PDB file of all heavy atoms in Angstrom:
ATOM      1  N   SER W   1     -11.665 -11.916  -7.804  1.00  0.00           N
ATOM      2  CA  SER W   1     -10.969 -10.632  -7.721  1.00  0.00           C
ATOM      3  C   SER W   1      -9.814 -10.699  -6.718  1.00  0.00           C
ATOM      4  O   SER W   1      -9.744 -11.579  -5.877  1.00  0.00           O
ATOM      5  CB  SER W   1     -11.952  -9.532  -7.323  1.00  0.00           C
ATOM      6  OG  SER W   1     -12.420  -9.764  -6.016  1.00  0.00           O
ATOM      7  N   ARG W   2      -8.930  -9.752  -6.868  1.00  0.00           N
ATOM      8  CA  ARG W   2      -7.762  -9.683  -5.982  1.00  0.00           C
ATOM      9  C   ARG W   2      -7.722  -8.308  -5.346  1.00  0.00           C
ATOM     10  O   ARG W   2      -8.092  -7.320  -5.959  1.00  0.00           O
ATOM     11  CB  ARG W   2      -6.503  -9.981  -6.773  1.00  0.00           C
ATOM     12  CG  ARG W   2      -6.538 -11.417  -7.279  1.00  0.00           C
ATOM     13  CD  ARG W   2      -5.510 -11.809  -8.277  1.00  0.00           C
ATOM     14  NE  ARG W   2      -4.259 -11.126  -8.240  1.00  0.00           N
ATOM     15  CZ  ARG W   2      -3.090 -11.707  -8.449  1.00  0.00           C
ATOM     16  NH1 ARG W   2      -3.034 -12.983  -8.683  1.00  0.00           N
ATOM     17  NH2 ARG W   2      -1.991 -11.014  -8.452  1.00  0.00           N
ATOM     18  N   THR W   3      -7.287  -8.253  -4.099  1.00  0.00           N
ATOM     19  CA  THR W   3      -7.248  -7.006  -3.359  1.00  0.00           C
ATOM     20  C   THR W   3      -5.823  -6.731  -2.876  1.00  0.00           C
ATOM     21  O   THR W   3      -5.040  -7.655  -2.656  1.00  0.00           O
ATOM     22  CB  THR W   3      -8.184  -7.051  -2.135  1.00  0.00           C
ATOM     23  OG1 THR W   3      -7.776  -8.127  -1.281  1.00  0.00           O
ATOM     24  CG2 THR W   3      -9.619  -7.266  -2.551  1.00  0.00           C
ATOM     25  N   PRO W   4      -5.479  -5.455  -2.689  1.00  0.00           N
ATOM     26  CA  PRO W   4      -4.136  -5.131  -2.206  1.00  0.00           C
ATOM     27  C   PRO W   4      -4.013  -5.401  -0.712  1.00  0.00           C
ATOM     28  O   PRO W   4      -4.960  -5.209   0.057  1.00  0.00           O
ATOM     29  CB  PRO W   4      -4.010  -3.630  -2.503  1.00  0.00           C
ATOM     30  CG  PRO W   4      -5.408  -3.127  -2.515  1.00  0.00           C
ATOM     31  CD  PRO W   4      -6.249  -4.265  -3.003  1.00  0.00           C
ATOM     32  N   THR W   5      -2.857  -5.877  -0.307  1.00  0.00           N
ATOM     33  CA  THR W   5      -2.526  -6.034   1.108  1.00  0.00           C
ATOM     34  C   THR W   5      -1.140  -5.439   1.320  1.00  0.00           C
ATOM     35  O   THR W   5      -0.374  -5.263   0.371  1.00  0.00           O
ATOM     36  CB  THR W   5      -2.518  -7.510   1.555  1.00  0.00           C
ATOM     37  OG1 THR W   5      -1.566  -8.224   0.779  1.00  0.00           O
ATOM     38  CG2 THR W   5      -3.886  -8.146   1.416  1.00  0.00           C
ATOM     39  N   ILE W   6      -0.829  -5.130   2.555  1.00  0.00           N
ATOM     40  CA  ILE W   6       0.442  -4.484   2.886  1.00  0.00           C
ATOM     41  C   ILE W   6       1.309  -5.426   3.697  1.00  0.00           C
ATOM     42  O   ILE W   6       0.857  -6.019   4.673  1.00  0.00           O
ATOM     43  CB  ILE W   6       0.197  -3.192   3.693  1.00  0.00           C
ATOM     44  CG1 ILE W   6      -0.685  -2.241   2.905  1.00  0.00           C
ATOM     45  CG2 ILE W   6       1.517  -2.535   4.070  1.00  0.00           C
ATOM     46  CD1 ILE W   6      -1.229  -1.088   3.718  1.00  0.00           C
ATOM     47  N   ASP W   7       2.566  -5.555   3.288  1.00  0.00           N
ATOM     48  CA  ASP W   7       3.564  -6.279   4.072  1.00  0.00           C
ATOM     49  C   ASP W   7       4.200  -5.225   4.992  1.00  0.00           C
ATOM     50  O   ASP W   7       5.043  -4.436   4.573  1.00  0.00           O
ATOM     51  CB  ASP W   7       4.615  -6.897   3.151  1.00  0.00           C
ATOM     52  CG  ASP W   7       5.686  -7.662   3.907  1.00  0.00           C
ATOM     53  OD1 ASP W   7       5.801  -7.498   5.139  1.00  0.00           O
ATOM     54  OD2 ASP W   7       6.427  -8.420   3.258  1.00  0.00           O
ATOM     55  N   TRP W   8       3.761  -5.190   6.244  1.00  0.00           N
ATOM     56  CA  TRP W   8       4.193  -4.146   7.178  1.00  0.00           C
ATOM     57  C   TRP W   8       5.678  -4.203   7.491  1.00  0.00           C
ATOM     58  O   TRP W   8       6.263  -3.191   7.892  1.00  0.00           O
ATOM     59  CB  TRP W   8       3.366  -4.204   8.455  1.00  0.00           C
ATOM     60  CG  TRP W   8       1.937  -3.877   8.187  1.00  0.00           C
ATOM     61  CD1 TRP W   8       0.878  -4.747   8.186  1.00  0.00           C
ATOM     62  CD2 TRP W   8       1.405  -2.610   7.812  1.00  0.00           C
ATOM     63  NE1 TRP W   8      -0.276  -4.079   7.844  1.00  0.00           N
ATOM     64  CE2 TRP W   8       0.023  -2.771   7.619  1.00  0.00           C
ATOM     65  CE3 TRP W   8       1.962  -1.345   7.622  1.00  0.00           C
ATOM     66  CZ2 TRP W   8      -0.805  -1.717   7.251  1.00  0.00           C
ATOM     67  CZ3 TRP W   8       1.123  -0.301   7.261  1.00  0.00           C
ATOM     68  CH2 TRP W   8      -0.231  -0.487   7.077  1.00  0.00           C
ATOM     69  N   THR W   9       6.316  -5.336   7.296  1.00  0.00           N
ATOM     70  CA  THR W   9       7.761  -5.414   7.554  1.00  0.00           C
ATOM     71  C   THR W   9       8.553  -4.708   6.469  1.00  0.00           C
ATOM     72  O   THR W   9       9.701  -4.337   6.680  1.00  0.00           O
ATOM     73  CB  THR W   9       8.227  -6.877   7.657  1.00  0.00           C
ATOM     74  OG1 THR W   9       7.973  -7.555   6.428  1.00  0.00           O
ATOM     75  CG2 THR W   9       7.533  -7.589   8.807  1.00  0.00           C
ATOM     76  N   ARG W  10       7.940  -4.486   5.311  1.00  0.00           N
ATOM     77  CA  ARG W  10       8.619  -3.807   4.200  1.00  0.00           C
ATOM     78  C   ARG W  10       8.235  -2.339   4.062  1.00  0.00           C
ATOM     79  O   ARG W  10       8.989  -1.547   3.522  1.00  0.00           O
ATOM     80  CB  ARG W  10       8.307  -4.510   2.883  1.00  0.00           C
ATOM     81  CG  ARG W  10       8.947  -5.865   2.754  1.00  0.00           C
ATOM     82  CD  ARG W  10       8.581  -6.445   1.395  1.00  0.00           C
ATOM     83  NE  ARG W  10       9.345  -7.622   1.119  1.00  0.00           N
ATOM     84  CZ  ARG W  10      10.425  -7.644   0.353  1.00  0.00           C
ATOM     85  NH1 ARG W  10      10.856  -6.548  -0.211  1.00  0.00           N
ATOM     86  NH2 ARG W  10      11.068  -8.757   0.141  1.00  0.00           N
ATOM     87  N   CYS W  11       7.036  -1.968   4.509  1.00  0.00           N
ATOM     88  CA  CYS W  11       6.516  -0.620   4.284  1.00  0.00           C
ATOM     89  C   CYS W  11       7.383   0.419   5.004  1.00  0.00           C
ATOM     90  O   CYS W  11       7.660   0.311   6.203  1.00  0.00           O
ATOM     91  CB  CYS W  11       5.072  -0.521   4.771  1.00  0.00           C
ATOM     92  SG  CYS W  11       4.335   1.085   4.426  1.00  0.00           S
ATOM     93  N   ASP W  12       7.803   1.438   4.243  1.00  0.00           N
ATOM     94  CA  ASP W  12       8.606   2.527   4.791  1.00  0.00           C
ATOM     95  C   ASP W  12       7.822   3.822   4.905  1.00  0.00           C
ATOM     96  O   ASP W  12       8.393   4.857   5.258  1.00  0.00           O
ATOM     97  CB  ASP W  12       9.836   2.774   3.905  1.00  0.00           C
ATOM     98  CG  ASP W  12      10.855   1.655   3.990  1.00  0.00           C
ATOM     99  OD1 ASP W  12      10.953   1.012   5.055  1.00  0.00           O
ATOM    100  OD2 ASP W  12      11.561   1.428   2.980  1.00  0.00           O
ATOM    101  N   GLY W  13       6.546   3.800   4.595  1.00  0.00           N
ATOM    102  CA  GLY W  13       5.709   4.990   4.724  1.00  0.00           C
ATOM    103  C   GLY W  13       5.989   6.060   3.686  1.00  0.00           C
ATOM    104  O   GLY W  13       5.880   7.242   3.978  1.00  0.00           O
ATOM    105  N   HIS W  14       6.315   5.667   2.459  1.00  0.00           N
ATOM    106  CA  HIS W  14       6.545   6.637   1.386  1.00  0.00           C
ATOM    107  C   HIS W  14       5.264   7.381   1.007  1.00  0.00           C
ATOM    108  O   HIS W  14       5.318   8.519   0.584  1.00  0.00           O
ATOM    109  CB  HIS W  14       7.109   5.951   0.131  1.00  0.00           C
ATOM    110  CG  HIS W  14       8.481   5.413   0.318  1.00  0.00           C
ATOM    111  ND1 HIS W  14       9.602   6.207   0.286  1.00  0.00           N
ATOM    112  CD2 HIS W  14       8.920   4.155   0.545  1.00  0.00           C
ATOM    113  CE1 HIS W  14      10.678   5.461   0.486  1.00  0.00           C
ATOM    114  NE2 HIS W  14      10.284   4.207   0.646  1.00  0.00           N
ATOM    115  N   GLY W  15       4.120   6.707   1.095  1.00  0.00           N
ATOM    116  CA  GLY W  15       2.838   7.333   0.809  1.00  0.00           C
ATOM    117  C   GLY W  15       2.403   7.304  -0.640  1.00  0.00           C
ATOM    118  O   GLY W  15       1.351   7.841  -0.975  1.00  0.00           O
ATOM    119  N   LEU W  16       3.184   6.707  -1.508  1.00  0.00           N
ATOM    120  CA  LEU W  16       2.827   6.656  -2.927  1.00  0.00           C
ATOM    121  C   LEU W  16       1.515   5.897  -3.151  1.00  0.00           C
ATOM    122  O   LEU W  16       0.709   6.275  -3.995  1.00  0.00           O
ATOM    123  CB  LEU W  16       3.955   6.019  -3.732  1.00  0.00           C
ATOM    124  CG  LEU W  16       3.779   5.944  -5.242  1.00  0.00           C
ATOM    125  CD1 LEU W  16       3.622   7.346  -5.826  1.00  0.00           C
ATOM    126  CD2 LEU W  16       4.969   5.244  -5.877  1.00  0.00           C
ATOM    127  N   CYS W  17       1.280   4.872  -2.375  1.00  0.00           N
ATOM    128  CA  CYS W  17       0.056   4.085  -2.545  1.00  0.00           C
ATOM    129  C   CYS W  17      -1.186   4.925  -2.280  1.00  0.00           C
ATOM    130  O   CYS W  17      -2.220   4.720  -2.910  1.00  0.00           O
ATOM    131  CB  CYS W  17       0.074   2.846  -1.662  1.00  0.00           C
ATOM    132  SG  CYS W  17       0.358   3.201   0.071  1.00  0.00           S
ATOM    133  N   ALA W  18      -1.092   5.885  -1.385  1.00  0.00           N
ATOM    134  CA  ALA W  18      -2.244   6.745  -1.105  1.00  0.00           C
ATOM    135  C   ALA W  18      -2.581   7.618  -2.306  1.00  0.00           C
ATOM    136  O   ALA W  18      -3.726   8.014  -2.487  1.00  0.00           O
ATOM    137  CB  ALA W  18      -1.979   7.612   0.116  1.00  0.00           C
ATOM    138  N   GLN W  19      -1.601   7.909  -3.126  1.00  0.00           N
ATOM    139  CA  GLN W  19      -1.841   8.682  -4.336  1.00  0.00           C
ATOM    140  C   GLN W  19      -2.413   7.805  -5.450  1.00  0.00           C
ATOM    141  O   GLN W  19      -3.164   8.275  -6.291  1.00  0.00           O
ATOM    142  CB  GLN W  19      -0.555   9.335  -4.817  1.00  0.00           C
ATOM    143  CG  GLN W  19      -0.009  10.356  -3.852  1.00  0.00           C
ATOM    144  CD  GLN W  19       1.354  10.875  -4.303  1.00  0.00           C
ATOM    145  OE1 GLN W  19       1.716  10.768  -5.461  1.00  0.00           O
ATOM    146  NE2 GLN W  19       2.094  11.441  -3.374  1.00  0.00           N
ATOM    147  N   LEU W  20      -2.054   6.527  -5.445  1.00  0.00           N
ATOM    148  CA  LEU W  20      -2.445   5.623  -6.524  1.00  0.00           C
ATOM    149  C   LEU W  20      -3.723   4.838  -6.254  1.00  0.00           C
ATOM    150  O   LEU W  20      -4.391   4.414  -7.196  1.00  0.00           O
ATOM    151  CB  LEU W  20      -1.310   4.645  -6.816  1.00  0.00           C
ATOM    152  CG  LEU W  20      -0.014   5.264  -7.333  1.00  0.00           C
ATOM    153  CD1 LEU W  20       1.081   4.214  -7.414  1.00  0.00           C
ATOM    154  CD2 LEU W  20      -0.240   5.911  -8.682  1.00  0.00           C
ATOM    155  N   LEU W  21      -4.048   4.618  -4.986  1.00  0.00           N
ATOM    156  CA  LEU W  21      -5.230   3.827  -4.648  1.00  0.00           C
ATOM    157  C   LEU W  21      -6.339   4.730  -4.137  1.00  0.00           C
ATOM    158  O   LEU W  21      -6.225   5.305  -3.052  1.00  0.00           O
ATOM    159  CB  LEU W  21      -4.886   2.784  -3.567  1.00  0.00           C
ATOM    160  CG  LEU W  21      -3.936   1.682  -3.982  1.00  0.00           C
ATOM    161  CD1 LEU W  21      -3.535   0.848  -2.777  1.00  0.00           C
ATOM    162  CD2 LEU W  21      -4.573   0.811  -5.043  1.00  0.00           C
ATOM    163  N   PRO W  22      -7.408   4.880  -4.891  1.00  0.00           N
ATOM    164  CA  PRO W  22      -8.517   5.722  -4.452  1.00  0.00           C
ATOM    165  C   PRO W  22      -9.056   5.262  -3.097  1.00  0.00           C
ATOM    166  O   PRO W  22      -9.210   4.075  -2.860  1.00  0.00           O
ATOM    167  CB  PRO W  22      -9.574   5.532  -5.542  1.00  0.00           C
ATOM    168  CG  PRO W  22      -8.826   5.018  -6.723  1.00  0.00           C
ATOM    169  CD  PRO W  22      -7.661   4.260  -6.188  1.00  0.00           C
ATOM    170  N   GLY W  23      -9.292   6.215  -2.223  1.00  0.00           N
ATOM    171  CA  GLY W  23      -9.837   5.897  -0.907  1.00  0.00           C
ATOM    172  C   GLY W  23      -8.797   5.584   0.138  1.00  0.00           C
ATOM    173  O   GLY W  23      -9.123   5.439   1.312  1.00  0.00           O
ATOM    174  N   THR W  24      -7.531   5.468  -0.256  1.00  0.00           N
ATOM    175  CA  THR W  24      -6.469   5.177   0.704  1.00  0.00           C
ATOM    176  C   THR W  24      -6.030   6.473   1.368  1.00  0.00           C
ATOM    177  O   THR W  24      -5.840   7.488   0.721  1.00  0.00           O
ATOM    178  CB  THR W  24      -5.265   4.522   0.008  1.00  0.00           C
ATOM    179  OG1 THR W  24      -5.707   3.303  -0.603  1.00  0.00           O
ATOM    180  CG2 THR W  24      -4.151   4.192   0.981  1.00  0.00           C
ATOM    181  N   THR W  25      -5.884   6.419   2.676  1.00  0.00           N
ATOM    182  CA  THR W  25      -5.404   7.576   3.427  1.00  0.00           C
ATOM    183  C   THR W  25      -4.103   7.205   4.122  1.00  0.00           C
ATOM    184  O   THR W  25      -3.695   6.037   4.110  1.00  0.00           O
ATOM    185  CB  THR W  25      -6.438   8.024   4.483  1.00  0.00           C
ATOM    186  OG1 THR W  25      -6.700   6.924   5.356  1.00  0.00           O
ATOM    187  CG2 THR W  25      -7.720   8.485   3.824  1.00  0.00           C
TER     188      THR W  25
END
């Protein structure tokens, strides 16, 4: 299986992932 990880140098805090990934805050 594969899991999502975040590249913090690219993340701008849009928050879309929190809407798409269950359990993400």
